[in-house]
Each structure stands twice: as C-alpha cells, then as structure tokens.
Amino acid sequence: MLTAFTQAEFTTMHDQLNSKIGQYVSRQVTNVAPSQDMMVVIYSAKYTQEDNVTVRIVFGGTPVKITGLWFDSPQTKAK
C-alpha cells in the first residue's frame, strides 16, 4: 500500500470515505477466500452514517502485504 498511495492520496481517500459513510465503528469477517498466492478477506463494516459497508482486502506477496482495498456501499457509489 505504501507504494500504491502517497500519504496525500491516502488522506484524500480517507476524507472522501468519511464524508460519505462517516467514521468507522466496527467490522465482522463475512468471508475468507484463498486465491492463488493471495488471501481475500471480506468484511461487513459499520460506519456512523452507514451500517452495511462491504470492505474487501486482498493480502499477498512475501512478506505478506495488502495488495488490494475496496469499499462498497450505496453511499460509496453515490457521486
């Protein structure tokens, strides 16, 4: 993730998410799926402005690092 985002880009993404779905409250793992040399973990997350945000994180590489990160909900899709 450190090579995928600069600190400024990460801060922008964080601020955009907060403006749409609010502050993070909690999460629960809903699925874990090994895929080739990666592990995909899907969470159902709760934020202050939205209760059901799907968060998908892909872990891979050696050493293991986050190689993918997605947030999905009606509010994150809204423009």
Side-chain angles (χ1 to χ4, degrees), residues 1 32-43 56-70:
M1 293 294 287
V32 177
S35 175
Q36 297 174 356
D37 62 343
M38 296 178 276
M39 181 71 65
V40 180
V41 181
I42 300 173
Y43 300 90
R56 180 171 43 137
I57 303 176
V58 179
F59 299 91
T62 304
V64 175
K65 296 180 180 180
I66 295 175
T67 59
L69 175 65
W70 294 267

Side-chain angles (χ1 to χ4, degrees), residues 1-11:
M1 293 294 287
L2 290 173
T3 59
F5 291 107
T6 65
Q7 181 64 44
E9 290 169 330
F10 183 84
T11 299

